[in-house]
Every structure is written in structure tokens, then in C-alpha cells.
Amino acid sequence: MVDNKLLTASASPHVRTRDTTRIIMLDVLIALTPSLIASVILFGLRSLAVTAVSIASCVLFEYLSRKAMRRANTIGDLSAAVTGMILAFNLPSTIPFWMVVFGAAIAIIVVKQMFGGIGQNFVNPALLARIVLMVSFPKAMLASWATPFAWRSDTPDAVTSATPLAILKTGEGTLPALLNMCFAKAGCLGEVCAAALLLGGVYLMIRRVISPIIPFCYIGTVGMCMLLYGFAQKENAFLFTAYELLSGGLMLGAFFMATDYATSPISSRGKVIFAVGCGLLTCLIRLFGNMNEGVSFSILLMNILVPHIERLTVPRPFGVEKEKKPRKDKKEVQPS
Amino acid sequence: MGNAIPHVRSAVGKIRGGVHVQHHKNTADQEIVRLPAPDKVVIPMQMNIGAPCAPIVNVGDTVSIGQVIGDTTAFVSTPVHASISGTVTAVGDITLANGVSSRAVTIESDGEMRLFEGLEPPKADTREELIAAVRASGLVGLGGAGFPSHVKLGFKPGTVDTLIVNAAECEPYITVDNRECIENSWDVLSGIQILKEILQIPRVVIAIEKNKPKAITILSSIASQIEKTKGEISVMQLRSVYPQGAEKVMIYSATGRRVPAGKLPSDVGCLVMNVASVAFIARYIKSGKPLVSRSLTVDGSAICTPQNVRVPIGMIIGDIIEHCGGFKVTPHKIITGGPMMGLAVISTDIPVMKQNNAILAFSKEDGLKKETDCINCGRCASACPMNLQASVIARLAKTGDAQALIRAGANVCMECGSCAFSCPAGRPLVQNMRLAKSIIREAAKSNG
Ligand code: SF4
Ligand code: SF4
């Protein structure tokens, strides 16, 4: 017969999905790869080096901080590697390596692990690291973009201070052609090829790692607002909108950062509110703020609001009627 | 008659969530085999939701099949009958699969399988007679939950307009309901006729998941042959999605009606009966032989020859597995019931109960998933047919706040396991749900 001691008594269900955190994170890494390749083509091996340093230091910091806190090692779930890759994508390829390491420390140690590790952080680690770097080292972060393809020309170190967004805002300089906006523009190393980002985003949606709600609502809101603004203020509203959509980190933000599980709502209604909020804030910052880029700050602000959005959008359980509050309250006032 | 396949209806409501579990319906084409009489059976006195029975036989008594050996006056309970003939050798306490302790009567077989002489077809011409007969038959919901069937039939006359015969069988592996539809289709239909006529239910829907085309064809063709009830009994095809067979889900799929939280199916005009229970009622009314045996699917990666068997209630599951060729590899987990909602047992020494519909044994490879931190991916919430956020309720349960748990809807949870199935982090969400419910119960107790 059977040795009863070997039998496991566990709670149902006794079958589980094959998906694991690691597989999900691996999918995100796969989805980011086309953009990395695009970046290497545009900016040379320097982008690869920045990405490698960022991933390596994120994984190392994850390992060390878990060790220091005497908690189970989690580098195997690949979430630190994803943070590293996304952080790198938010940096210019010209950034000094030590700054990358500093950013990784902020992302992993301060934002992620000090709040309890995966799923617990209330803002996106890579995003906050980027903002800290931006505030601390504005020159390195905001004013020295490598010119696309310069590394293959006679002036390999050519830098420009003008991203398309800066040109859109100030009106100084010439915008790259629309086609170049899709494939090659100046900017952070991961945001420069909108087509590659879109490819990765579609992959994540097909794999059901992310739901389409956030990217669609986010990009949709930005599109609508820019169109309205364009009709009021610009000669060619459609062209203006196209540039706005393809500029800066919008694609990267909408597909890969606003969709971060820990810092976005889980209910569909919550996702809509969150994404529309991100979209509106992005437009406000881009059009009326004194910064060129609004994606990081708007996602960050909305991240902070997520717990409130979640609370307001708890779905009604099956068979539970809508509460009719107001009237009852009035009637039940008791004389004291 | 090639194109004479009668009309099969499609679902009315589409439930949200649910999960696509691998079906593993390996035994779908295996006829139910009646196992030879075992040497002994251990018949628990608690085989239903509700009150346990008290044994009314003593050690040394001779009993025969169908003789009442345990009964109670409680309404929400059903009598227990001897399932083999022989001598009572013990009346004592045993631990059931769910960890609950119960009185049980052990009968050693005399090898004769003698029927009790007093058995005769019950009188069941009126509602009251039918309910009394069904209670006396010992019937509980054969689909797994074990709710006494006569209690369900006792709805207020005229309030139920739809009888839903549940043949969804959405749990993986299990195929006995499918076999029941195929092998005993006439019993199913005559059971329906009885319930329909006596309880005066105008409409009957036999609800089957799409992945059982044979059962669908057979039942719909028989239903269309019965002139008297033409148009009133129909077969409905449902999406193969777990938990299609859960009562509230089933009612929504079949009628588009939502059972309000805390209410019963009859509150929305529905009566849901498992297909095997319906067929049993027909046989019982004809023969008067109470519920003393049932069909089971024996399957899983550790079972030598997976098959469908018919066994006496109280047969030891180890003996049943022996009859299916024993284990081909060392089992790591043995489940009574389906893999989504069944109970893992820690011994093969426990008896089969009325509501068990499967015995599944798995080897190590199908083992547990490692538990890691919740990543807040929301998959548990998307999977929940009851629209609950399992991860949120799990967090709330840690705080022990009963009011917040009620507001979050923890009581609506039917423990179907869809949430935990989908969780990439392997969180024990169903356990958390049970914890949440017990917190609510405790709070209610201390307040009231
Ligand atoms: S499915 Fe699991 S990991 Fe995802 S939110 Fe629910 S509990 Fe957390
Ligand atoms: S919360 Fe309850 S009803 Fe919802 S999926 Fe989980 S077990 Fe099923």
C-alpha cells in the first residue's frame, strides 16, 4: 500500500497555473529587448553597457538588501532585472556609470526593498530613481543626448541638447521627420524607437502580462488632449499630435511603467481612472509646465493616488445590490 | 436521420472571470464498472451538510442492503443505509477527509449482497410525499457539496419556474456525470418528468458544458422524443470554463438571473439539481432502493488504470484504488473530489461518502507550487466569477477587520479556487478566504 506519511495535505485548488512571477518578468524582459536592440543601433554599444551596469547593480542590490534584512533571496524572480532594464531605458546613453549605480541603489534599496519588496512599493522604483537622478544631476540627465547614429559618423561624441519635445516646446531647432520619430530620435536610451516599444507592448498584451486598458487610455487621453490643443493653437493639429505621441517617454511609460503591477490599480475601472489621470497630467506638464517631459512625474503622481483609486473602485461582488445610501441616512437621524 | 439532431440551446448569461483548466477527461469514454463487493465498508454518519445521524444498529447486528442504520429527526439531514449485507462489527468514531470526526458503522460483508426485504417503491404523488420519499432515500447532492436534496425540493409552491439539471461537470478529470448522461439517459429524463410534474415546474434546462458532445446529443434527442413535454425540456450547451457548474454561475448562465448575496436559488425562481441526483430519484421512485452506491472517477497520474467505477458507499478508498490496478508511481497527493475543490486526504484508509465523485492520485511532479510574495498582478481578481478581489481580501484578513471583510464581499466567495489557480505567486488564496469567513462568523457570534 501507500506510505501515508508521504501524502501532502494542502488546501484546494490542487492544480495551479504554470505561470510564475519569474515567467511574467521574463516576458517583460523579452518585450523590452527590441527597444534595447534599437538603442544599440542608434547609440552604439554604450547603451548596452549602461543597460548591463543597471541590471547588474539592481540585481546585486536586491541580493544584498534581502541578505541584510535576512529575508529569502528573490533575485530568481527576475523582477530586479526588469527594474534594472527599465531604469536604464530612462537614462541617456551618455550618463556616467556611477550615476547608473546610484540610481539602481535608489530604485532597489530605497523604493523597493525598504517598503517590503516586490508588490509592496507604492511608486515605481525605476521611475523614482530617474527623478532623483534628474533632480540631482540635471546636466547629465537632461542636456546631453547623443545624436542618433553619431557613433558611426566622424563625430562620435556629438551631443545635442534638443530632444523633439524640447523643440516642440520652444519652437527652436528643426524637428526630425515623422518617420524618424517612429524609429530614431534623440532621447533616453529606451524611448527612442517608438516602433520597438510598441512591438514589446503588443507582445505583453498578447501574453496577457498587461491589460490593454492602461496603455490605451493613457495614450488615448494624451492624443485627445493634444488634438484639442492643436486645433486651438497649432497650424496642423494632427501633425502636432503625432509628434507629441511619439515624443519623449510616452510609449515607454504607457506600456512598461504605468502598467507596473505594484503601482497601478487592479480593477478595470481603477485602471481607466489611473491611466486617464496619467494622460491628463502628462499633457498639463508638457503644455503648460516648465518641464519638457511630463511622463515620469505624471505616473509618479498617479502612483501615489493608487491606494485611493483602489478604494474607490472596489468592484461590486456578484449578487450584491448597489447601496442606496443618501435617503436612508436622512431618515435614520435619531433625536439625541 | 442525419440532420435530426434536435435543437440545443446556448447559454443566456455569460459569467465574468473563471479559468481555463486543462480538462483531463481521460475516462470520458469509459463505461462505469461495478466493482465486486468489498469485504467491509465503513459508513460515516455525517455525509451531508447539516446534522449528523445517530447509529441505530449495534455491534453484532445483521444488516442488509438498504436497511437504515443511522437516522435523525433533524430536517436538514438524511438517513444513512447499509450498503452491503453482513454483520456490524464496529460503531465508533473516525476522522473524515475534511478533518471532521464522525460516528461510523463498520459492516463486514457476508458476501451475499442481500437486499433488505422491507424495500418497496415509495408513494410519491404529491409534493409532500415526494419530499418525504427523497429524504428517506438518503439522497444528498451527488455533485460534491452534499446538501440534502429534499431540503432543496421544499421551496414554496409556485416560486420556482425553472429546474436546472446540472451536468456541467466543470472539474477536471471527473467524468461520472457525463457517463450518467450517456448510460442512464432515460433515468435522467424520467427523473426530470417526476420533479417537473409533482413540483409543477414549467421549464427544465439540462445544462452541459460543450466538451461533452455525446451527452448533449443523446439527452437532446431523448428530450425531443417525449411528446408530452415537448418544448419544455431543453438541453443547453455551456462554455467549458471553470467553475461553470457552481450553482450561482450555472443559474446565471442558464437564465441570466443573479442570485442575490446570501439568498437561495429559489429566490430567483430556480432549482438546481445535479444530473446524477435526478437520475437517482427516478430509480428510487421505481425501485425503492435507497442511496447505497455511487459512481466515481478514479484517475490521476499515479493511478495504474484510470476508470469509472460504481462502489458501495463506505468502501475504503484504498480498496477502490487496488481495484484500479493500484498505484503505478508513489502517490504524493490523493484527493477526494476534483482537483479544484476536492479535499487532499492524508490516508487511503477513509471511506467513500455519498457526495464524493472522484478519487484522484497524483505523483510528485504534479506537486505544489512554491509560495512567493504577491506581486499585485490582479489575476486573482480577473479570475473571480463572484467579482471579488482575493488579494485585497487576503490582506484584510490579516488585519482581522470583520466589517471591512463583509464590505469586500468575503461571504460571497464560493471557494471555487479560480483565484488561487491563476495566481502566479502561488498564494494560498482559498485558505485566506476561509480565514476571512471565519473572522466574520466569529465577529457575528461575539456581537449577537
Ligand atoms: S494573483 Fe496572486 S500575485 Fe496576483 S494579485 Fe492575486 S494574490 Fe497577488
Ligand atoms: S475569491 Fe472565492 S469565488 Fe472568487 S475565485 Fe476565489 S475562491 Fe472563487
Side-chain angles (χ1 to χ4, degrees):
Chain A
M1 274 307 304
V2 44
D3 184 355
N4 287 335
K5 278 190 215 83
L6 290 175
L7 293 177
T8 10
S10 58
S12 60
H14 307 286
V15 277
R16 303 281 189 139
T17 166
R18 289 223 176 82
D19 279 355
T20 59
T21 305
R22 184 206 299 241
I23 290 175
I24 292 174
M25 294 303 158
L26 191 63
D27 268 337
V28 179
L29 291 177
I30 293 171
L32 288 167
T33 306
S35 304
L36 179 62
I37 295 171
S39 185
V40 174
I41 295 172
L42 289 179
F43 302 128
L45 286 176
R46 175 82 199 178
S47 342
L48 195 62
V50 170
T51 311
V53 170
S54 177
I55 292 180
S57 32
C58 278
V59 172
L60 183 70
F61 287 133
E62 172 110 345
Y63 178 78
L64 293 177
S65 44
R66 296 294 287 197
K67 191 128 209 171
M69 292 191 275
R70 299 217 159 75
R71 300 186 61 186
N73 178 18
T74 47
I75 60 170
D77 69 17
L78 297 180
S79 64
V82 167
T83 304
M85 192 128 160
I86 293 184
L87 173 64
F89 276 29
N90 278 289
L91 304 173
S93 58
T94 51
I95 192 168
F97 288 132
W98 67 268
M99 284 188 200
V100 180
V101 177
F102 178 67
I106 302 224
I108 296 295
I109 302 176
V110 181
V111 186
K112 188 176 173 194
Q113 292 302 343
M114 292 207 339
F115 285 93
I118 192 165
Q120 300 291 318
N121 46 296
F122 67 100
V123 292
N124 187 318
L127 204 72
L128 195 72
R130 169 189 155 104
I131 288 173
V132 169
L133 288 176
M134 237 154 55
V135 175
S136 324
F137 315 106
K139 188 146 189 318
M141 285 294 289
L142 297 171
S144 55
W145 313 104
T147 317
F149 298 118
W151 64 288
R152 292 210 278 200
S153 65
D154 326 331
T155 50
D157 294 327
V159 291
T160 162
S161 60
T163 60
L165 268 181
I167 302 170
L168 271 174
K169 185 133 195 168
T170 57
E172 289 160 23
T174 34
L175 282 167
L178 200 54
L179 191 66
N180 276 348
M181 291 293 295
C182 295
F183 294 103
K185 57 176 190 264
C188 291
L189 70 85
E191 67 187 33
V192 289
C193 180
L197 286 166
L198 204 62
L199 187 69
V202 169
Y203 173 77
L204 287 187
M205 289 190 276
I206 292 173
R207 294 277 297 152
R208 293 177 183 269
V209 170
I210 61 172
S211 106
I213 299 178
I214 290 180
F216 280 18
C217 292
Y218 191 171
I219 296 171
T221 307
V222 173
M224 295 288 285
C225 292
M226 289 302 178
L227 213 51
L228 287 177
Y229 181 82
F231 279 128
Q233 303 279 338
K234 303 272 168 178
E235 280 163 35
N236 189 337
F238 291 107
L239 197 63
F240 170 73
T241 307
Y243 272 99
E244 282 289 351
L245 289 183
L246 294 169
S247 299
L250 183 60
M251 293 290 160
L252 181 63
F255 284 107
F256 294 97
M257 286 154 70
T259 53
D260 174 33
Y261 290 149
T263 57
S264 64
I266 56 175
S267 71
S268 305
R269 274 190 309 151
K271 285 192 169 87
V272 173
I273 297 174
F274 171 82
V276 170
C278 286
L280 291 175
L281 284 173
T282 303
C283 294
L284 283 178
I285 297 174
R286 278 194 186 176
L287 294 175
F288 307 111
N290 57 7
M291 276 177 294
N292 296 335
E293 172 58 301
V295 170
S296 309
F297 280 99
S298 45
I299 298 180
L300 186 79
L301 282 171
M302 291 311 289
N303 280 170
I304 296 169
L305 290 179
V306 163
H308 304 284
I309 300 177
E310 292 273 43
R311 222 167 299 140
L312 291 174
T313 56
V314 175
R316 201 146 31 89
F318 184 92
V320 172
E321 293 296 320
K322 242 189 217 138
E323 288 172 53
K324 296 178 200 119
K325 268 186 233 155
R327 258 186 218 163
K328 242 189 169 178
D329 287 350
K330 262 183 211 160
K331 271 186 189 165
E332 281 174 358
V333 177
Q334 303 216 334
S336 53
Chain B
M1 298 246 301
N3 56 357
I5 294 185
H7 182 56
V8 175
R9 296 175 55 206
S10 43
V12 178
K14 185 169 180 267
I15 198 93
R16 78 181 291 280
V19 287
H20 293 277
V21 194
Q22 276 205 331
H23 296 310
H24 292 290
K25 301 277 189 188
N26 311 321
T27 51
D29 293 325
Q30 305 233 3
E31 243 176 77
I32 299 171
V33 186
R34 186 176 284 278
L35 289 191
D39 297 336
K40 75 160 192 191
V41 291
V42 179
I43 304 180
M45 290 293 117
Q46 168 102 59
M47 291 193 279
N48 51 257
I49 292 176
C53 292
I56 55 169
V57 288
N58 294 311
V59 174
D61 287 1
T62 310
V63 293
S64 45
I65 298 176
Q67 182 178 344
V68 177
I69 56 170
D71 208 346
T72 160
T73 49
F75 180 66
V76 186
S77 186
T78 56
V80 177
H81 305 83
S83 59
I84 59 175
S85 61
T87 318
V88 175
T89 56
V91 178
D93 286 328
I94 60 160
T95 306
L96 304 177
N98 55 6
V100 173
S101 152
S102 161
R103 303 286 283 167
V105 170
T106 307
I107 303 171
E108 220 137 285
S109 174
D110 57 12
E112 289 174 22
M113 292 304 267
R114 228 172 342 99
L115 268 183
F116 185 57
E117 282 112 39
L119 298 182
E120 53 183 49
K123 222 166 116 44
D125 298 327
T126 67
R127 187 180 285 267
E128 288 70 33
E129 282 170 359
L130 178 69
I131 292 171
V134 170
R135 183 181 189 282
S137 76
L139 181 62
V140 303
L142 297 176
F147 189 74
S149 302
H150 67 277
V151 181
K152 279 190 173 183
L153 304 184
F155 56 86
K156 211 165 130 242
T159 54
V160 166
D161 61 7
T162 310
L163 165 64
I164 301 170
V165 178
N166 188 347
E169 207 165 40
C170 55
E171 279 264 16
Y173 292 96
I174 308 179
T175 59
V176 277
D177 282 353
N178 172 51
R179 295 310 305 172
E180 191 78 35
C181 294
I182 296 170
E183 295 174 31
N184 303 327
S185 35
W186 280 102
D187 290 345
V188 174
L189 264 298
S190 46
I192 291 174
Q193 303 279 338
I194 293 169
L195 294 172
K196 183 175 182 320
E197 218 170 287
I198 299 178
L199 301 175
Q200 287 161 5
I201 305 172
R203 188 168 76 118
V204 182
V205 175
I206 307 172
I208 311 181
E209 273 193 5
K210 272 198 187 105
N211 63 358
K212 304 171 193 59
K214 210 164 158 188
I216 293 173
T217 318
I218 292 180
L219 287 180
S220 54
S221 81
I222 296 183
S224 70
Q225 282 169 39
I226 305 173
E227 281 304 324
K228 202 172 125 205
T229 50
K230 222 169 184 158
E232 296 171 356
I233 301 176
S234 55
V235 174
M236 185 181 276
Q237 270 202 96
L238 304 176
R239 279 189 308 149
S240 307
V241 60
Y242 180 87
Q244 186 65 267
E247 203 162 55
K248 286 184 180 180
V249 176
M250 168 114 297
I251 292 173
Y252 188 69
S253 299
T255 65
R257 301 176 194 165
R258 288 168 181 268
V259 181
K263 293 280 162 97
L264 295 171
S266 59
D267 291 314
V268 293
C270 292
L271 168 66
V272 184
M273 296 282 284
N274 166 270
V275 67
S277 305
V278 172
F280 169 80
I281 290 177
R283 287 195 290 268
Y284 177 66
I285 300 286
K286 217 159 45 188
S287 70
K289 187 176 168 190
L291 186 66
V292 292
S293 66
R294 71 150 302 147
S295 306
L296 291 171
T297 297
V298 186
D299 200 351
S301 54
I303 297 286
C304 216
T305 30
Q307 55 187 299
N308 290 315
V309 295
R310 190 153 188 97
V311 301
I313 305 291
M315 187 163 169
I316 301 300
I317 64 170
D319 294 346
I320 300 172
I321 293 169
E322 271 318 70
H323 276 288
C324 298
F327 297 110
K328 65 178 175 216
V329 286
T330 315
H332 183 61
K333 192 183 250 185
I334 299 179
I335 305 165
T336 60
M340 292 299 284
M341 286 185 82
L343 289 166
V345 300
I346 47 165
S347 157
T348 50
D349 220 14
I350 58 161
V352 161
M353 305 209 288
K354 290 176 181 175
Q355 65 270 42
N356 293 155
N357 47 8
I359 298 169
L360 306 174
F362 296 99
S363 61
K364 194 127 199 160
E365 297 91 72
D366 316 284
L368 288 166
K369 183 163 181 161
K370 216 180 121 213
E371 204 178 304
T372 51
D373 289 336
C374 169
I375 56 172
N376 200 46
C377 64
R379 292 182 183 202
C380 49
S382 325
C384 179
M386 295 290 110
N387 216 0
L388 303 176
Q389 296 178 321
S391 58
V392 176
I393 295 178
R395 273 199 297 273
L396 283 176
K398 289 216 178 77
T399 68
D401 182 345
Q403 283 312 311
L405 286 170
I406 293 173
R407 251 178 283 126
N411 271 334
V412 179
C413 171
M414 52 191 183
E415 296 175 22
C416 69
S418 303
C419 49
F421 173 86
S422 340
C423 177
R427 305 297 308 159
L429 295 169
V430 175
Q431 268 157 297
N432 292 332
M433 282 295 171
R434 292 191 186 125
L435 175 66
K437 288 188 199 174
S438 72
I439 291 172
I440 297 176
R441 267 198 308 274
E442 290 302 316
K445 245 188 241 160
S446 57
N447 285 345

